Amino acid sequence: MSGESEQKAYRTESITVTFEAGRCLHAAECVHGLPEVFDPTKRPWVQPERTTAERLAEVVRRCPSGALQYELAEGGTETPDRPTTITRGVNGQLTVRGELSVDTP
């Protein structure tokens, strides 16, 4: 197996939420935003049928690492925040949200 993390999908008729554990920063934005959907003590821990696609997409967009993403059944996917923002968390970690590219030599 390469160093990549496996991505898991959780589907309803209107939305698919994907989760990539290796990217997760454990910021708990999902758990605090929709505890009835995101519950790490349950299996599966993501239960998208417990809310609307619109509300679920709203909370998934808060994920600072991009570990959670979504795709709507009618073809809409997560779009980058505009303008791009950079915030510093309480532990000093920087979170960048928006449309950006990083070039390294």
Side-chain angles (χ1 to χ4, degrees):
M1 188 166 203
S2 65
E4 294 181 23
S5 177
E6 182 180 332
Q7 192 178 69
K8 293 188 178 182
Y10 305 89
R11 293 179 176 84
T12 69
E13 288 182 15
S14 55
I15 191 169
T16 298
V17 174
T18 57
F19 176 67
E20 189 175 339
R23 292 181 68 175
C24 185
L25 297 173
H26 305 289
E29 289 291 331
C30 55
V31 174
H32 294 123
L34 280 172
E36 65 275 20
V37 173
F38 299 99
D39 186 344
T41 67
K42 294 191 174 163
R43 294 294 174 258
W45 82 278
V46 180
Q47 298 180 15
E49 68 281 354
R50 298 184 64 121
T51 191
T52 65
E54 295 79 18
R55 180 76 177 116
L56 186 53
E58 175 189 330
V59 171
V60 168
R61 283 192 296 270
R62 296 183 200 165
C63 180
S65 67
L68 285 167
Q69 296 185 20
Y70 70 88
E71 182 174 348
L72 298 171
E74 66 262 9
T77 58
E78 186 171 357
T79 56
D81 289 351
R82 288 189 181 97
T84 298
T85 60
I86 301 173
T87 55
R88 183 180 304 275
V90 293
N91 62 356
Q93 178 179 346
L94 294 176
T95 301
V96 181
R97 293 195 55 89
E99 189 168 17
L100 63 129
S101 64
V102 178
D103 297 322
T104 58

